């Protein structure tokens, strides 16, 4: 999740820095709309959390002795 948070932070910084280029591509939304930035950041962070959480849940359910014998 640390990499995800760093990526979202870098993406937000880049998006804010490139607002002049983005303004011509956006319709009915300002280039620095805080609600849009917040919603997209939350969605990306949630997807990354799910991507980390599901394999971790599966790993928790494995008996350590079974995993050691397999290797």
């Amino acid at each position: 999740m640390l990499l995800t948070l760093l990526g979202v932070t870098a993406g937000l910084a880049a998006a804010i820095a490139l607002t002049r280029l983005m303004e011509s591509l956006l319709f009915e939304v300002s280039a620095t709309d805080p609600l849009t930035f917040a919603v997209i950041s939350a969605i990306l962070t949630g997807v990354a959390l799910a991507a980390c959480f599901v394999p971790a849940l599966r790993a928790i359910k494995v008996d350590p002795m079974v995993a050691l014998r397999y290797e």
Side-chain angles (χ1 to χ4, degrees):
M1 284 305 297
L2 179 62
L3 289 175
T4 300
L5 294 176
L6 288 173
V8 168
T9 304
L12 284 173
I16 291 171
L18 298 171
T19 54
R20 290 186 184 175
L21 295 174
M22 291 181 1
E23 276 183 323
S24 64
L25 301 173
L26 299 173
F27 301 101
E28 298 180 15
V29 177
S30 71
T32 56
D33 184 30
L35 180 63
T36 303
F37 282 120
V39 169
I40 295 302
S41 297
I43 289 172
L44 288 174
T45 304
V47 168
L49 179 64
C52 294
F53 187 70
V54 172
L57 259 179
R58 291 181 65 198
I60 289 172
K61 293 179 183 178
V62 173
D63 182 26
M65 289 305 294
V66 172
L68 289 172
R69 282 189 195 127
Y70 181 76
E71 290 185 17

Coordinates of all heavy atoms in Angstrom, one line a residue:
M1 N 0.8 -1.2 0.0 CA 0.0 0.0 0.0 C 0.9 1.3 0.0 O 0.4 2.3 -0.5 CB -0.9 0.0 1.2 CG -2.1 -0.9 1.1 SD -3.1 -0.7 -0.4 CE -3.8 0.9 -0.1
L2 N 2.1 1.1 0.5 CA 3.0 2.3 0.5 C 3.3 2.7 -0.9 O 3.2 3.9 -1.2 CB 4.3 2.0 1.2 CG 5.3 3.1 1.2 CD1 4.8 4.3 2.0 CD2 6.6 2.6 1.9
L3 N 3.5 1.8 -1.8 CA 3.8 2.1 -3.2 C 2.5 2.8 -3.9 O 2.6 3.7 -4.7 CB 4.2 0.9 -4.0 CG 5.6 0.4 -3.7 CD1 5.8 -0.9 -4.5 CD2 6.6 1.4 -4.1
T4 N 1.4 2.3 -3.5 CA 0.1 2.8 -4.0 C 0.0 4.3 -3.6 O -0.4 5.2 -4.4 CB -1.1 2.0 -3.5 OG1 -0.9 0.7 -4.0 CG2 -2.4 2.6 -4.0
L5 N 0.2 4.5 -2.3 CA 0.1 5.9 -1.8 C 1.1 6.8 -2.4 O 0.8 8.0 -2.8 CB 0.2 5.9 -0.3 CG -1.0 5.2 0.5 CD1 -0.7 5.2 2.0 CD2 -2.3 5.8 0.2
L6 N 2.3 6.3 -2.6 CA 3.3 7.2 -3.3 C 2.9 7.4 -4.8 O 3.0 8.6 -5.3 CB 4.6 6.4 -3.3 CG 5.3 6.4 -2.0 CD1 6.6 5.5 -2.0 CD2 5.7 7.8 -1.5
G7 N 2.3 6.4 -5.4 CA 1.9 6.6 -6.8 C 0.7 7.6 -6.9 O 0.7 8.4 -7.8
V8 N -0.3 7.5 -6.0 CA -1.4 8.4 -6.0 C -0.9 9.8 -5.8 O -1.4 10.8 -6.4 CB -2.5 7.9 -5.0 CG1 -3.5 9.0 -4.8 CG2 -3.1 6.7 -5.5
T9 N 0.0 10.0 -4.8 CA 0.5 11.3 -4.5 C 1.3 11.9 -5.7 O 1.1 13.0 -6.1 CB 1.5 11.2 -3.3 OG1 0.8 10.7 -2.2 CG2 2.0 12.6 -2.9
A10 N 2.1 11.1 -6.4 CA 2.8 11.6 -7.5 C 1.9 11.9 -8.7 O 2.0 12.9 -9.4 CB 3.9 10.5 -8.0
G11 N 0.9 11.1 -8.8 CA -0.1 11.3 -9.9 C -0.9 12.6 -9.6 O -1.2 13.3 -10.6
L12 N -1.3 12.8 -8.4 CA -2.0 14.1 -8.1 C -1.1 15.3 -8.3 O -1.6 16.3 -8.9 CB -2.5 14.0 -6.6 CG -3.7 13.2 -6.3 CD1 -3.9 13.1 -4.8 CD2 -4.9 13.7 -7.0
A13 N 0.1 15.2 -7.9 CA 1.0 16.3 -8.2 C 1.2 16.6 -9.7 O 1.2 17.7 -10.1 CB 2.4 16.0 -7.5
A14 N 1.4 15.5 -10.4 CA 1.5 15.7 -11.9 C 0.2 16.2 -12.5 O 0.3 17.1 -13.4 CB 1.9 14.3 -12.5
A15 N -0.9 15.8 -12.0 CA -2.2 16.2 -12.6 C -2.4 17.7 -12.3 O -2.8 18.5 -13.1 CB -3.3 15.4 -12.0
I16 N -2.0 18.1 -11.1 CA -2.2 19.5 -10.7 C -1.2 20.4 -11.5 O -1.5 21.5 -12.0 CB -2.0 19.7 -9.2 CG1 -3.2 19.1 -8.5 CG2 -1.9 21.2 -8.8 CD1 -3.1 19.0 -7.0
A17 N 0.0 19.8 -11.7 CA 1.0 20.6 -12.5 C 0.7 20.7 -14.0 O 1.0 21.7 -14.6 CB 2.4 19.9 -12.4
L18 N -0.1 19.8 -14.5 CA -0.5 19.8 -15.9 C -1.9 20.3 -16.2 O -2.5 20.0 -17.2 CB -0.3 18.4 -16.5 CG 1.1 17.8 -16.5 CD1 1.1 16.4 -16.9 CD2 2.0 18.6 -17.4
T19 N -2.4 21.1 -15.3 CA -3.8 21.6 -15.4 C -4.0 22.4 -16.7 O -5.1 22.4 -17.2 CB -4.2 22.4 -14.2 OG1 -3.3 23.5 -14.0 CG2 -4.3 21.5 -13.0
R20 N -3.1 23.2 -17.1 CA -3.2 24.0 -18.3 C -3.5 23.1 -19.5 O -4.3 23.4 -20.4 CB -2.0 24.9 -18.5 CG -2.0 26.0 -17.5 CD -0.9 27.0 -17.8 NE -0.8 27.9 -16.7 CZ 0.1 28.8 -16.6 NH1 1.0 28.9 -17.5 NH2 0.1 29.7 -15.6
L21 N -2.8 22.0 -19.6 CA -3.0 21.1 -20.8 C -4.3 20.4 -20.7 O -4.9 20.1 -21.7 CB -1.8 20.1 -20.8 CG -0.4 20.6 -21.1 CD1 0.6 19.5 -21.0 CD2 -0.4 21.3 -22.5
M22 N -4.7 20.1 -19.5 CA -5.9 19.3 -19.3 C -7.2 20.1 -19.5 O -8.2 19.6 -19.8 CB -6.0 18.7 -17.9 CG -5.0 17.6 -17.7 SD -4.9 16.8 -16.1 CE -6.2 17.5 -15.1
E23 N -7.1 21.4 -19.3 CA -8.3 22.3 -19.3 C -9.0 22.2 -20.7 O -10.2 22.2 -20.8 CB -8.0 23.7 -19.0 CG -8.0 24.0 -17.5 CD -7.7 25.4 -17.2 OE1 -6.9 26.1 -17.9 OE2 -8.3 25.9 -16.2
S24 N -8.2 22.1 -21.8 CA -8.8 22.0 -23.1 C -9.5 20.7 -23.3 O -10.3 20.6 -24.2 CB -7.8 22.3 -24.1 OG -6.8 21.3 -24.1
L25 N -9.2 19.6 -22.6 CA -9.8 18.3 -22.8 C -11.0 18.0 -21.9 O -11.7 17.1 -22.1 CB -8.7 17.3 -22.5 CG -7.4 17.3 -23.3 CD1 -6.4 16.3 -22.8 CD2 -7.7 17.1 -24.8
L26 N -11.2 18.9 -20.9 CA -12.3 18.6 -19.9 C -13.5 19.5 -20.3 O -13.4 20.6 -20.6 CB -11.9 18.9 -18.5 CG -10.7 18.1 -18.0 CD1 -10.2 18.6 -16.7 CD2 -11.1 16.7 -17.9
F27 N -14.7 18.9 -20.2 CA -16.0 19.6 -20.4 C -16.8 19.6 -19.2 O -17.0 18.6 -18.5 CB -16.7 18.9 -21.5 CG -16.0 18.7 -22.8 CD1 -15.4 17.6 -23.2 CD2 -15.8 19.8 -23.7 CE1 -14.6 17.4 -24.3 CE2 -15.1 19.7 -24.8 CZ -14.5 18.5 -25.2
E28 N -17.2 20.8 -18.8 CA -18.1 21.1 -17.7 C -17.5 20.7 -16.3 O -18.2 20.5 -15.3 CB -19.4 20.4 -17.8 CG -20.2 20.8 -19.0 CD -21.6 20.1 -19.2 OE1 -22.0 19.5 -18.2 OE2 -22.2 20.2 -20.2
V29 N -16.1 20.6 -16.3 CA -15.4 20.3 -15.1 C -14.2 21.1 -15.1 O -13.5 21.2 -16.1 CB -15.0 18.8 -14.9 CG1 -14.2 18.6 -13.7 CG2 -16.3 17.9 -14.9
S30 N -13.9 21.8 -14.0 CA -12.6 22.6 -14.0 C -11.5 21.6 -13.8 O -11.6 20.5 -13.3 CB -12.7 23.6 -12.8 OG -12.5 22.9 -11.6
A31 N -10.3 22.1 -14.3 CA -9.1 21.2 -14.2 C -8.6 20.9 -12.8 O -7.9 20.0 -12.6 CB -8.0 21.8 -15.1
T32 N -9.0 21.8 -11.9 CA -8.6 21.6 -10.5 C -9.8 21.3 -9.6 O -9.8 21.7 -8.4 CB -7.9 22.9 -10.0 OG1 -8.7 24.0 -10.2 CG2 -6.6 23.1 -10.7
D33 N -10.7 20.6 -10.1 CA -11.9 20.2 -9.3 C -11.5 19.2 -8.2 O -11.1 18.1 -8.4 CB -12.9 19.5 -10.2 CG -14.2 19.2 -9.5 OD1 -14.6 20.0 -8.6 OD2 -14.9 18.2 -9.9
P34 N -11.6 19.7 -6.9 CA -11.1 18.8 -5.8 C -12.0 17.6 -5.6 O -11.4 16.5 -5.2 CB -11.2 19.7 -4.6 CG -12.0 20.9 -5.0 CD -12.0 21.0 -6.5
L35 N -13.3 17.6 -5.9 CA -14.1 16.4 -5.8 C -13.7 15.4 -6.7 O -13.6 14.2 -6.4 CB -15.6 16.8 -6.0 CG -16.6 15.7 -5.9 CD1 -16.6 15.1 -4.5 CD2 -17.9 16.1 -6.3
T36 N -13.3 15.7 -8.0 CA -12.9 14.7 -9.0 C -11.6 14.1 -8.5 O -11.4 12.9 -8.6 CB -12.7 15.4 -10.3 OG1 -14.0 16.0 -10.7 CG2 -12.3 14.4 -11.4
F37 N -10.6 14.9 -8.1 CA -9.4 14.4 -7.6 C -9.6 13.4 -6.4 O -8.9 12.4 -6.3 CB -8.4 15.5 -7.2 CG -7.7 16.2 -8.4 CD1 -7.9 17.5 -8.6 CD2 -6.9 15.5 -9.2 CE1 -7.3 18.2 -9.7 CE2 -6.3 16.1 -10.3 CZ -6.5 17.4 -10.5
A38 N -10.4 13.8 -5.5 CA -10.6 13.0 -4.3 C -11.3 11.7 -4.7 O -10.9 10.6 -4.1 CB -11.5 13.8 -3.3
V39 N -12.3 11.7 -5.5 CA -13.0 10.5 -5.9 C -12.1 9.5 -6.6 O -12.1 8.3 -6.3 CB -14.3 10.8 -6.7 CG1 -14.9 9.6 -7.3 CG2 -15.3 11.5 -5.8
I40 N -11.4 10.0 -7.6 CA -10.5 9.2 -8.4 C -9.4 8.6 -7.5 O -9.0 7.4 -7.6 CB -9.9 9.9 -9.6 CG1 -11.0 10.3 -10.6 CG2 -8.8 9.1 -10.3 CD1 -11.8 9.2 -11.1
S41 N -8.8 9.4 -6.6 CA -7.8 8.9 -5.7 C -8.4 7.8 -4.8 O -7.7 6.8 -4.5 CB -7.3 10.0 -4.9 OG -6.6 11.0 -5.7
A42 N -9.6 8.0 -4.3 CA -10.2 7.0 -3.4 C -10.5 5.7 -4.2 O -10.2 4.6 -3.6 CB -11.5 7.6 -2.8
I43 N -10.9 5.8 -5.4 CA -11.2 4.6 -6.2 C -9.9 3.8 -6.4 O -9.8 2.6 -6.3 CB -11.9 5.0 -7.5 CG1 -13.3 5.4 -7.2 CG2 -11.9 3.8 -8.5 CD1 -14.1 6.0 -8.4
L44 N -8.9 4.5 -6.9 CA -7.6 3.9 -7.1 C -7.0 3.2 -5.9 O -6.5 2.1 -5.9 CB -6.6 4.9 -7.7 CG -6.9 5.3 -9.2 CD1 -5.9 6.4 -9.6 CD2 -6.8 4.1 -10.1
T45 N -7.1 3.9 -4.8 CA -6.6 3.4 -3.5 C -7.4 2.2 -3.1 O -6.8 1.2 -2.6 CB -6.6 4.5 -2.4 OG1 -5.8 5.6 -2.9 CG2 -6.0 4.0 -1.1
G46 N -8.7 2.2 -3.3 CA -9.6 1.1 -2.9 C -9.3 -0.2 -3.7 O -9.2 -1.3 -3.2
V47 N -9.1 0.0 -5.0 CA -8.7 -1.1 -5.9 C -7.4 -1.7 -5.5 O -7.2 -2.9 -5.5 CB -8.7 -0.6 -7.4 CG1 -8.1 -1.7 -8.3 CG2 -10.1 -0.3 -7.8
A48 N -6.4 -0.8 -5.2 CA -5.1 -1.3 -4.8 C -5.2 -2.1 -3.5 O -4.5 -3.1 -3.3 CB -4.1 -0.2 -4.7
L49 N -6.0 -1.6 -2.5 CA -6.2 -2.2 -1.3 C -6.8 -3.6 -1.5 O -6.4 -4.6 -0.9 CB -7.1 -1.4 -0.3 CG -7.4 -2.0 1.0 CD1 -6.1 -2.1 1.8 CD2 -8.4 -1.1 1.8
A50 N -7.8 -3.7 -2.3 CA -8.4 -5.0 -2.6 C -7.4 -6.0 -3.3 O -7.4 -7.2 -3.0 CB -9.6 -4.9 -3.5
A51 N -6.6 -5.4 -4.2 CA -5.6 -6.3 -4.8 C -4.5 -6.8 -3.8 O -4.0 -7.8 -4.0 CB -4.9 -5.5 -5.9
C52 N -4.3 -6.1 -2.8 CA -3.4 -6.5 -1.7 C -4.1 -7.4 -0.7 O -3.5 -8.4 -0.2 CB -2.8 -5.3 -1.0 SG -1.7 -4.3 -2.0
F53 N -5.3 -7.1 -0.4 CA -6.0 -7.8 0.7 C -6.4 -9.2 0.3 O -6.3 -10.1 1.1 CB -7.3 -7.0 1.0 CG -8.0 -7.5 2.2 CD1 -7.5 -7.4 3.5 CD2 -9.3 -8.1 2.1 CE1 -8.2 -7.8 4.6 CE2 -9.9 -8.6 3.2 CZ -9.4 -8.4 4.4
V54 N -6.8 -9.5 -0.9 CA -7.3 -10.8 -1.3 C -6.2 -11.8 -1.3 O -6.4 -12.9 -0.6 CB -8.0 -10.7 -2.7 CG1 -8.3 -12.1 -3.3 CG2 -9.2 -9.9 -2.7
P55 N -5.0 -11.6 -1.8 CA -3.9 -12.6 -1.7 C -3.5 -12.7 -0.2 O -3.1 -13.8 0.2 CB -2.8 -12.0 -2.5 CG -3.4 -11.1 -3.5 CD -4.6 -10.5 -2.8
A56 N -3.5 -11.7 0.5 CA -3.1 -11.8 1.9 C -4.1 -12.7 2.7 O -3.7 -13.5 3.6 CB -3.0 -10.4 2.6
L57 N -5.4 -12.6 2.4 CA -6.3 -13.4 3.1 C -6.1 -14.9 2.7 O -6.2 -15.8 3.6 CB -7.8 -13.0 2.6 CG -8.6 -12.2 3.6 CD1 -9.9 -11.9 3.0 CD2 -8.7 -12.8 4.9
R58 N -5.8 -15.2 1.5 CA -5.5 -16.5 1.1 C -4.3 -17.0 1.7 O -4.2 -18.2 2.1 CB -5.4 -16.6 -0.4 CG -6.7 -16.4 -1.2 CD -6.6 -16.5 -2.6 NE -6.2 -17.9 -3.0 CZ -5.7 -18.2 -4.2 NH1 -5.4 -17.3 -5.1 NH2 -5.4 -19.4 -4.4
A59 N -3.3 -16.2 1.9 CA -2.0 -16.6 2.5 C -2.2 -16.9 4.0 O -1.6 -17.8 4.6 CB -0.9 -15.6 2.3
I60 N -3.1 -16.2 4.7 CA -3.3 -16.4 6.1 C -4.0 -17.7 6.3 O -3.7 -18.4 7.3 CB -4.3 -15.3 6.6 CG1 -3.5 -14.0 6.7 CG2 -4.8 -15.6 8.0 CD1 -4.3 -12.8 7.0
K61 N -4.8 -18.2 5.4 CA -5.5 -19.5 5.6 C -4.6 -20.7 5.4 O -5.0 -21.8 5.7 CB -6.7 -19.5 4.6 CG -7.7 -18.5 4.9 CD -8.9 -18.5 4.0 CE -9.9 -17.4 4.3 NZ -11.0 -17.4 3.4
V62 N -3.4 -20.5 4.8 CA -2.5 -21.7 4.6 C -1.8 -22.1 5.9 O -1.3 -21.2 6.6 CB -1.5 -21.4 3.5 CG1 -0.5 -22.5 3.3 CG2 -2.3 -21.1 2.2
D63 N -1.8 -23.3 6.2 CA -1.1 -23.8 7.3 C 0.4 -23.7 7.1 O 0.9 -24.2 6.0 CB -1.4 -25.3 7.6 CG -0.7 -25.9 8.8 OD1 -0.4 -25.1 9.7 OD2 -0.5 -27.1 8.8
P64 N 1.2 -23.1 7.9 CA 2.7 -22.9 7.7 C 3.4 -24.2 7.5 O 4.3 -24.2 6.6 CB 3.1 -22.2 9.0 CG 2.0 -21.6 9.6 CD 0.8 -22.4 9.2
M65 N 3.1 -25.2 8.2 CA 3.7 -26.5 8.0 C 3.5 -27.1 6.6 O 4.4 -27.7 6.0 CB 3.3 -27.5 9.1 CG 3.8 -27.2 10.5 SD 5.6 -27.0 10.5 CE 6.2 -28.6 10.2
V66 N 2.3 -26.9 6.1 CA 2.0 -27.4 4.7 C 2.8 -26.6 3.7 O 3.3 -27.2 2.8 CB 0.5 -27.3 4.5 CG1 0.1 -27.6 3.0 CG2 -0.3 -28.2 5.4
A67 N 2.9 -25.4 3.9 CA 3.6 -24.5 3.0 C 5.1 -24.9 3.0 O 5.8 -24.9 2.0 CB 3.5 -23.0 3.3
L68 N 5.7 -25.2 4.2 CA 7.1 -25.5 4.3 C 7.4 -26.9 3.7 O 8.4 -27.1 3.1 CB 7.5 -25.5 5.8 CG 7.6 -24.1 6.4 CD1 7.9 -24.2 7.9 CD2 8.7 -23.3 5.7
R69 N 6.4 -27.8 3.9 CA 6.7 -29.2 3.3 C 6.6 -29.1 1.8 O 7.2 -29.9 1.1 CB 5.6 -30.1 3.9 CG 5.9 -30.6 5.3 CD 4.9 -31.7 5.7 NE 5.0 -31.8 7.1 CZ 3.9 -31.8 7.9 NH1 2.7 -31.7 7.4 NH2 4.1 -31.9 9.2
Y70 N 5.8 -28.2 1.3 CA 5.6 -28.1 -0.2 C 6.9 -27.7 -0.8 O 7.2 -28.1 -1.9 CB 4.5 -27.2 -0.5 CG 4.2 -27.0 -2.0 CD1 3.6 -28.0 -2.7 CD2 4.6 -25.9 -2.7 CE1 3.4 -27.9 -4.0 CE2 4.4 -25.7 -4.0 CZ 3.8 -26.8 -4.7 OH 3.5 -26.6 -6.0
E71 N 7.6 -26.8 -0.2 CA 8.9 -26.3 -0.7 C 9.9 -27.3 -0.5 O 10.9 -27.5 -1.1 CB 9.3 -25.0 -0.1 CG 8.3 -23.9 -0.6 CD 8.7 -22.5 0.0 OE1 9.9 -22.4 0.4 OE2 7.9 -21.6 0.0

